[in-house]
Amino acid sequence: MARSRRDDDALVRDALAGDATAWDDLIARYRRTVYGTLLHLGVRADDADDLFQAVCLKLYLHLADLRDARRVGPW
């Protein structure tokens, strides 16, 4: 569960500014969604862990490229 009341736009902005808590909160906010999607697709739990990590890395690498930071969820 996400610990922050900040919206996605604020979390992205703060994470890009180096706020590690904002990054942690952003990942916590979408953890269940990503895992749920992977498991719904039939991915095994141990593979879901690896794929979740890959999704987080891809988001981290492209965080500054988001056109609309309020749309992290659909991304």
Side-chain angles (χ1 to χ4, degrees):
M1 174 187 267
R3 300 173 299 213
S4 178
R5 293 181 184 252
R6 291 180 280 184
D7 62 17
D8 288 351
D9 191 42
L11 288 174
V12 168
R13 182 185 62 245
D14 294 347
L16 287 170
D19 181 346
T21 301
W23 173 252
D24 291 344
D25 289 348
L26 191 61
I27 295 305
R29 179 169 291 169
Y30 291 102
R31 180 181 313 273
R32 290 181 66 183
T33 301
V34 173
Y35 270 105
T37 300
L38 292 169
L39 296 176
H40 178 75
L41 292 171
V43 175
R44 294 182 332 186
D46 56 336
D47 292 332
D49 290 337
D50 292 338
L51 288 169
F52 177 75
Q53 193 171 35
V55 167
C56 293
L57 177 60
K58 187 159 189 118
L59 177 60
Y60 178 78
L61 293 174
H62 295 282
L63 198 59
D65 300 332
L66 286 173
R67 288 186 212 131
D68 184 352
R70 296 170 296 176
R71 309 265 311 146
V72 173
W75 174 86

